[in-house]
């Protein structure tokens, strides 16, 4: 899969802006080819340890956003490499950003991780957590 194939998508496999409640979880029904490919792109973005750590840094940040200048020192990677990883997280629909002067600030998209969790939750998992 090339970098050009990655596009912004709704992690539920639906159209961005569509209600997440309309999309069944993993155990509800088999995935069709298109939805499986879309979800695979999101999980591929999360499958890299650097991107997973970046997402964790962003999502756990008090105030909800973090400057790229604060994330770069946490890694033994160049700033362009960090920016590349952040770009892939953006393309997967997990984070967004805004340039302010020379710096770029990132935040997790509301509900993106919740929709992934809902997709992975099975009826049995929900029963166990409610007990």
């Amino acid at each position: 899969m090339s970098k050009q194939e990655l596009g912004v998508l709704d992690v539920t496999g639906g159209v961005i802006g569509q209600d997440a409640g309309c999309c069944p979880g993993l155990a509800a029904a088999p995935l069709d080819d298109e939805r499986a490919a879309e979800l695979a792109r999101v999980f591929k973005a999360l499958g890299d340890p650097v991107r997973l750590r970046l997402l964790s840094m962003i999502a756990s940040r008090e105030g909800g956003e973090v400057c790229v200048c604060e994330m770069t020192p946490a890694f033994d990677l160049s700033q362009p490499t960090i920016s590349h990883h952040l770009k892939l997280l953006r393309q997967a629909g997990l984070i967004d950003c805004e340039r302010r002067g020379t710096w770029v600030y990132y935040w997790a998209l509301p509900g993106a991780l919740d929709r992934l969790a809902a997709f992975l939750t099975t009826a049995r998992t929900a029963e166990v957590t409610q007990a």
Side-chain angles (χ1 to χ4, degrees), residues 1-6 37 40-41 44:
M1 176 179 324
S2 72
K3 293 179 210 170
Q4 289 77 23
E5 290 179 47
L6 293 173
R41 288 185 195 120
K44 182 177 180 180

Side-chain angles (χ1 to χ4, degrees), residues 50-129:
V50 171
R51 290 192 289 271
L52 195 54
R53 285 186 60 209
L54 285 167
L55 181 60
S56 175
M57 290 174 76
I58 294 166
S60 66
R61 180 62 176 238
E62 190 172 324
E65 62 183 34
V66 62
C67 179
V68 69
C69 65
E70 298 173 65
M71 292 185 282
T72 304
F75 299 90
D76 190 24
L77 298 169
S78 68
Q79 188 277 325
T81 301
I82 297 297
S83 292
H84 169 73
H85 285 294
L86 290 165
K87 175 185 167 186
L88 294 177
L89 289 171
R90 267 193 352 264
Q91 289 176 333
L94 297 168
I95 63 172
D96 204 356
C97 66
E98 175 181 77
R99 178 172 293 281
R100 298 179 195 156
T102 58
W103 298 112
V104 179
Y105 289 79
Y106 292 86
W107 58 89
L109 289 174
L113 297 178
D114 293 337
R115 288 187 296 273
L116 275 178
F119 169 74
L120 292 172
T121 301
T122 63
R124 180 161 165 72
T125 304
E127 291 170 10
V128 170
T129 57

